[in-house]
């Protein structure tokens, strides 16, 4: 049997308290590790909180300045990250060691508070034992900010997804602060291929279409979705109902495992719904955490089941990318 | 299709999630401030009772304090109903009468003179004559007196003031700015009055509170619905379409609701917008509070 063991960490990050949030990550990472998981997934902006507003400016981590700890640094190799537009610049072991030394000499509390770049240290360290997917505010060398998610593995940054579709309507104002990502990357993990879509990304069906056609078997959706809308004789909030219908569609029609990790907790009266869950390639919900409460879900995915589903219903095999491309060109050049 | 759009009822199925959301809200937003206690004004009405039951369930009875603040004309039934809540939940309570300070204020002739430009005005007499304007002033003054007492208790008890205004009255502006509308956090401000009754039923609130007619009890036999000129049931249906569904008034008219009521409600919502916002600040600098100095209130 081709099994993957992973954990969904449904946490309530505190907006702006990066150190506190990072500590909570480490606690959940340890629990996931103890449960035998090879990967633990946190929600969108799990290290920073969601409705940051102007605090986006204070919460950003610049990956180019990141200090990788010694254990992790030993494992750092020259490599590119499989996401369009982003290149890992943590590629020089000596340089990293020097930087690390400088920080140690200057190890006063104020410096630590000033720099968010060490926030990922603990996670990078732990990623030698278990792969970690976590959300954070990324800033780049041009001082742009992104709603980003990193996948850490083996003490290294394996993949970065910069959220592409930034909701800026109703209660959301992401485009006011963040720059759009440019790609839906696919990366190798746990012997298969995965893609990360962040919240609103998944509401655009083109994103999962791209991901599965690039080979993704696991569609990992991290989100910060507020609970909203009540309906008669429905034990779910309207927003939750819509999400679960969407996840089922993606899982069934793209014959993939859909792993949804949503946050909980409140920010200025807005409560995030939780209900992190996994949908199988037959469109059914296999695992689910409670709504509105923190929790860790340790699960096993069977890739043999995915192979079976893809053989029985070969929608992806028959997908005609040429027609799609031709039609898309027609639409764009209209 | 459109005609099926109506305000959703809180029923036994969706209650579980709503209740959990509201309890988590109170627990987390209170806890975040470093205190774990609340204080609220308990009027004997349905709204403050709902807030109180939610708070007691979220924080534990020992962390909830109720203050009853009757004026001499307040209905004795109100205090009885409030006491029933106190006993049912086994919470701390305080009774602070506001008659003396209200009467003392309105007995001062200087205010009478400047307001009416009539030095011979007899306020006691005018009040007895059912003067609406005076009643309104006195009602607002009482609401602000109660607010002032609650915030003093907030300090004494190291507790946050819990809000008790529902969505209907917040939208209609049927409340006193810096009076009953003032609070630190409000668990029921996004729930219409019609839904408050449904919620109350599932929270196990005594029938005597659920069944009586809604009243601000600022004067004898005051009735919300009489004063507003429409029932909450009708207003809530219309406001659900105007606000939650964001339909334009002409669309709501086309759905069969009376144009004059829609217009009345729409105007009340617009005219009371100031009550729902912080005071306007003249922008002088590059970065102005709440304009381009933008942080969550939960900012840390």
């Amino acid at each position: 049997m081709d099994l993957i063991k992973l954990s969904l960490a449904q946490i309530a990050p505190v907006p702006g308290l990066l150190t506190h949030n990072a500590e909570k990550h480490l606690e959940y990472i340890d629990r996931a590790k103890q449960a035998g998981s090879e990967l633990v997934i946190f929600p969108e902006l799990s290290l920073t909180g969601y409705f940051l507003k102007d605090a986006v400016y204070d919460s950003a981590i610049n990956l180019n300045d990141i200090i990788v700890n010694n254990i992790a640094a030993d494992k750092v190799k020259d490599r590119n990250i499989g996401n369009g537009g982003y290149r890992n610049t943590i590629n020089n072991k000596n340089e990293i060691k020097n930087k690390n030394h400088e920080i140690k000499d200057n190890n006063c509390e104020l410096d630590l508070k000033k720099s968010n770049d060490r926030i990922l240290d603990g996670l990078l360290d732990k990623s030698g034992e278990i792969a970690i997917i976590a959300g954070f505010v990324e800033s780049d060398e041009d001082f742009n900010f992104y709603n980003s998610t990193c996948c850490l593995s083996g003490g290294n940054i394996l993949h970065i997804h910069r959220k592409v579709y930034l909701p800026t309507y109703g209660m959301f104002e992401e485009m006011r602060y963040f720059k759009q990502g440019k790609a839906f990357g696919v990366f190798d993990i746990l012997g298969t291929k995965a893609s990360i879509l962040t919240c609103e990304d998944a509401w655009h069906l083109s994103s999962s279409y791209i991901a599965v056609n690039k080979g993704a078997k696991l569609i990992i959706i991290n989100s910060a979705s507020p609970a909203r809308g009540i309906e008669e004789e429905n034990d779910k909030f309207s927003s939750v109902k819509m999400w679960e219908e969407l996840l089922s569609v993606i899982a069934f029609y793209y014959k993939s495992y859909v792993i949804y990790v949503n946050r909980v907790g409140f920010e200025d009266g807005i409560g995030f719904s939780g209900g992190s869950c996994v949908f199988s390639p037959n469109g059914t919900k296999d695992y689910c955490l409670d709504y509105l409460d923190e929790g860790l879900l340790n699960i096993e995915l069977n890739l043999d089941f995915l192979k079976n589903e893809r053989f029985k219903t070969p929608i992806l095999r028959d997908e005609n990318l040429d027609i799609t491309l031709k039609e898309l060109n027609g639409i764009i050049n209209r | 299709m459109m005609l099926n759009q109506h305000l959703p009822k809180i029923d036994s199925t969706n209650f579980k999630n709503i209740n959990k959301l509201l309890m988590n809200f109170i627990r987390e937003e209170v806890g975040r401030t470093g205190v774990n206690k609340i204080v609220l004004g308990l009027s004997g009405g349905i709204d403050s009772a709902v807030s109180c039951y939610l708070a007691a369930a979220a924080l534990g009875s020992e962390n909830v304090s109720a203050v009853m603040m009757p004026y001499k004309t307040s209905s004795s039934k109100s205090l009885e109903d409030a006491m029933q809540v106190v006993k049912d939940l086994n919470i701390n309570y305080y009774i602070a009468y506001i008659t003396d300070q209200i009467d003392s204020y309105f007995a001062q002739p200087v205010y009478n003179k400047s307001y009416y430009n009539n030095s011979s005005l007899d306020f006691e007499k005018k009040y007895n004559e059912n003067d609406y304007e005076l009643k309104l002033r006195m009602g607002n003054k009482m609401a602000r007196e109660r607010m002032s007492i609650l915030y003093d208790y907030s300090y004494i008890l190291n507790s946050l003031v819990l809000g008790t205004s529902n969505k209907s009255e917040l939208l209609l502006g049927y409340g006193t700015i810096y009076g009953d509308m003032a609070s630190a956090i409000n668990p029921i401000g996004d729930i219409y009055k019609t839904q408050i009754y449904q919620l109350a039923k599932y929270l196990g609130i005594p029938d005597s509170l659920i069944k009586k007619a809604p009243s601000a009890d600022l004067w004898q036999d005051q009735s919300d619905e009489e004063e507003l000129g429409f029932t909450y049931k009708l207003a809530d249906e219309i406001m659900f379409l105007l606000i939650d569904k964001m339909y334009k008034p002409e669309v709501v008219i086309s759905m069969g609701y009376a144009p004059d009521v829609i217009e009345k409600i729409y105007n009340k919502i617009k005219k009371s917008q100031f009550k729902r916002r912080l005071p306007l600040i003249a922008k002088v600098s590059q970065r102005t509070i709440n304009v381009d100095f933008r942080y969550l209130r939960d900012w840390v």
Side-chain angles (χ1 to χ4, degrees):
Chain A
M1 283 216 296
D2 203 350
L3 291 177
I4 298 174
K5 293 176 101 173
L6 50 86
S7 296
L8 283 60
Q10 181 169 296
I11 62 167
V14 180
L17 276 190
L18 274 66
T19 309
H20 167 90
N21 296 331
E23 279 166 14
K24 182 165 271 181
H25 279 65
L26 294 176
E27 181 198 322
Y28 275 72
I29 289 164
D30 281 344
R31 284 169 59 194
K33 178 80 179 61
Q34 278 162 23
S37 289
E38 303 157 276
L39 168 67
V40 55
I41 305 162
F42 290 90
E44 174 180 15
L45 293 174
S46 57
L47 284 161
T48 57
Y50 180 71
F51 288 108
L52 292 165
K53 297 177 181 278
D54 284 3
V56 163
Y57 185 66
D58 309 313
S59 307
I61 298 172
N62 187 333
L63 293 181
N64 291 332
D65 294 339
I66 204 167
I67 312 300
V68 180
N69 63 47
N70 286 328
I71 304 161
D74 288 340
K75 294 172 185 169
V76 170
K77 298 250 167 74
D78 225 5
R79 66 187 302 170
N80 292 333
I81 291 182
N83 183 26
Y86 181 81
R87 254 163 218 280
N88 188 358
T89 55
I90 310 164
N91 51 16
N92 187 317
K93 193 170 154 182
N94 293 329
E95 187 188 305
I96 288 157
K97 279 197 168 167
N98 288 341
K99 271 190 176 178
N100 207 8
H101 190 248
E102 274 171 28
I103 292 283
K104 272 183 183 162
D105 283 348
N106 229 335
N107 200 2
C108 72
E109 207 176 321
L110 195 67
D111 272 356
L112 287 177
K113 275 189 180 165
K114 265 188 191 167
S115 172
N116 295 326
D117 300 335
R118 304 202 63 179
I119 290 293
L120 283 178
D121 281 10
L123 273 67
L124 274 164
D125 191 356
K126 286 281 177 193
S127 76
E129 303 163 27
I130 177 172
I132 300 157
I133 291 177
F136 67 107
V137 176
E138 183 196 350
S139 64
D140 68 9
E141 62 277 15
D142 296 322
F143 313 109
N144 296 306
F145 294 85
Y146 301 90
N147 178 339
S148 288
T149 301
C150 58
C151 179
L152 313 177
S153 178
N156 200 2
I157 300 173
L158 183 65
H159 176 77
I160 297 285
H161 173 64
R162 292 170 169 172
K163 189 174 183 178
V164 174
Y165 292 109
L166 304 168
T168 307
Y169 57 83
M171 73 183 114
F172 305 109
E173 48 186 19
E174 289 187 34
M175 201 89 85
R176 185 185 166 102
Y177 293 103
F178 297 123
K179 184 171 173 160
Q180 283 187 298
K182 287 183 177 163
F184 295 105
V186 169
F187 58 102
D188 292 308
I189 189 159
L190 312 179
T192 186
K193 284 183 189 298
S195 183
I196 298 169
L197 308 179
T198 302
C199 207
E200 188 93 350
D201 284 340
W203 284 36
H204 293 254
L205 289 167
S206 52
S207 62
S208 41
Y209 176 85
I210 291 164
V212 291
N213 282 293
K214 281 169 103 168
K217 313 288 185 294
L218 310 180
I219 306 281
I220 296 164
I221 300 171
N222 59 344
S223 80
S225 174
R228 55 203 191 275
I230 61 169
E231 294 175 11
E232 288 172 15
E233 288 169 26
N234 188 346
D235 63 355
K236 289 171 188 155
F237 287 100
S238 312
S239 53
V240 170
K241 192 183 88 173
M242 294 316 296
W243 261 111
E244 292 183 0
E245 283 175 10
L246 171 70
L247 300 173
S248 171
V249 165
I250 295 173
F252 183 84
Y253 292 97
Y254 292 145
K255 291 297 164 206
S256 307
Y257 276 109
V258 173
I259 302 144
Y260 173 71
V261 184
N262 188 27
R263 62 161 289 182
V264 290
F266 281 80
E267 291 185 4
D268 269 17
I270 299 171
F272 299 90
S273 56
S276 302
C277 55
V278 176
F279 279 79
S280 287
N282 64 359
T284 61
K285 187 164 77 172
D286 279 358
Y287 301 93
C288 189
L289 274 163
D290 281 351
Y291 302 111
L292 306 166
D293 288 333
E294 286 194 316
L296 181 75
L297 183 65
N298 306 309
I299 58 167
E300 277 184 354
L301 302 183
N302 187 345
L303 285 180
D304 288 329
F305 181 68
L306 185 141
K307 288 175 202 164
N308 173 287
E309 280 290 321
R310 286 199 177 188
F311 178 79
K312 288 190 294 188
T313 317
I315 308 173
L316 280 174
R317 181 197 67 193
D318 301 343
E319 180 61 34
N320 192 324
L321 291 167
D322 288 331
I323 292 178
T324 307
L325 183 64
K326 200 179 117 207
E327 293 286 357
L328 285 177
N329 277 327
I331 293 165
I332 289 167
N333 300 324
R334 188 165 50 191
Chain B
M1 179 65 193
M2 243 187 182
L3 284 170
N4 288 328
Q5 303 273 7
H6 68 278
L7 178 67
K9 286 190 182 70
I10 294 176
D11 58 31
S12 57
T13 316
N14 61 31
F15 167 72
K16 203 180 143 219
N17 260 334
I18 295 166
N19 187 44
K20 189 171 176 185
L21 180 98
L22 298 176
M23 290 212 299
N24 283 8
F25 163 79
I26 294 171
R27 211 176 286 134
E28 288 184 37
E29 296 290 11
V30 171
R32 177 165 288 166
T33 65
V35 302
N36 62 343
K37 294 182 286 186
I38 66 98
V39 60
L40 85 169
L42 201 59
S43 67
I46 192 80
D47 299 321
S48 56
V50 166
S51 278
C52 196
Y53 274 72
L54 288 168
L59 305 171
S61 295
E62 67 279 16
N63 294 315
V64 175
S65 297
V67 188
M68 284 87 101
M69 296 166 281
Y71 179 68
K72 65 186 177 194
T73 60
S74 299
S75 147
S76 61
K77 173 83 165 50
S78 293
L79 191 59
E80 280 169 32
D81 286 337
M83 278 309 296
Q84 208 185 333
V85 171
V86 165
K87 280 180 190 148
D88 196 22
L89 294 174
N90 193 26
I91 53 173
N92 317 304
Y93 75 98
Y94 305 87
I95 301 178
Y97 293 94
I98 62 167
T99 306
D100 288 353
Q101 55 265 54
I102 297 297
D103 285 356
S104 160
Y105 175 82
F106 283 96
Q108 288 177 52
V110 59
Y111 296 109
N112 304 344
K113 190 177 171 185
S114 65
Y115 190 73
Y116 285 103
N117 198 22
N118 176 1
S119 59
S120 63
L121 197 74
D122 183 338
F123 262 66
E124 194 72 24
K125 190 162 163 275
K126 270 198 97 59
Y127 183 84
N128 292 334
E129 280 170 3
N130 228 10
D131 182 275
Y132 184 75
E133 202 175 340
L134 177 60
K135 274 185 174 178
L136 208 61
R137 280 181 59 215
M138 290 186 73
N140 281 333
K141 178 76 180 152
M142 285 179 221
R144 293 194 183 106
E145 182 60 31
R146 291 179 176 126
M147 177 279 296
S148 165
I149 291 169
L150 273 180
Y151 273 85
D152 189 41
Y153 274 80
S154 165
Y155 181 84
I156 298 167
L157 302 169
N158 190 29
S159 301
L160 289 187
V161 175
L162 191 71
T164 60
S165 297
N166 63 58
K167 190 173 187 174
S168 307
E169 59 187 18
L170 286 175
L171 282 172
L172 293 167
Y174 193 67
T176 302
I177 185 170
Y178 307 124
D180 53 302
M181 291 176 88
S183 70
I185 65 162
N186 178 356
I188 62 166
D190 202 18
I191 301 172
Y192 286 105
K193 185 81 177 185
T194 317
Q195 297 171 316
I196 293 282
Y197 285 105
Q198 297 149 2
L199 185 56
K201 199 182 108 194
Y202 293 105
L203 288 170
I205 289 173
D207 262 3
S208 63
L209 277 85
I210 298 177
K211 286 190 175 144
K212 68 183 176 190
S215 167
D217 198 19
L218 292 171
W219 54 83
Q220 267 170 332
D221 301 321
Q222 185 185 15
S223 157
D224 285 11
E225 294 182 336
E226 221 167 85
E227 207 176 349
L228 288 164
F230 40 75
T231 63
Y232 277 122
K233 191 174 184 309
L234 177 62
D236 289 353
E237 286 297 341
I238 290 170
M239 289 194 290
F240 174 73
L241 298 169
L242 287 174
I243 305 300
D244 296 52
K245 289 289 166 192
M246 218 171 156
Y247 295 154
K248 291 181 176 173
E250 55 265 36
V251 175
V252 182
I253 292 170
S254 77
M255 294 169 79
Y257 292 94
D260 57 327
V261 180
I262 293 167
E263 198 188 336
K264 202 169 173 181
I265 288 170
Y266 196 68
N267 285 335
K268 274 187 184 293
I269 295 170
K270 280 210 286 191
K271 279 183 182 163
S272 59
Q273 175 68 353
F274 73 97
K275 294 190 181 183
R276 294 181 290 267
R277 303 299 301 262
L278 290 168
L280 300 182
I281 293 174
K283 186 168 176 65
V284 176
S285 75
Q286 297 280 11
R287 202 159 178 233
T288 308
I289 295 160
N290 289 339
V291 176
D292 30 32
F293 172 78
R294 306 172 78 250
Y295 292 92
L296 287 178
R297 207 183 78 170
D298 288 344
W299 181 37
V300 276

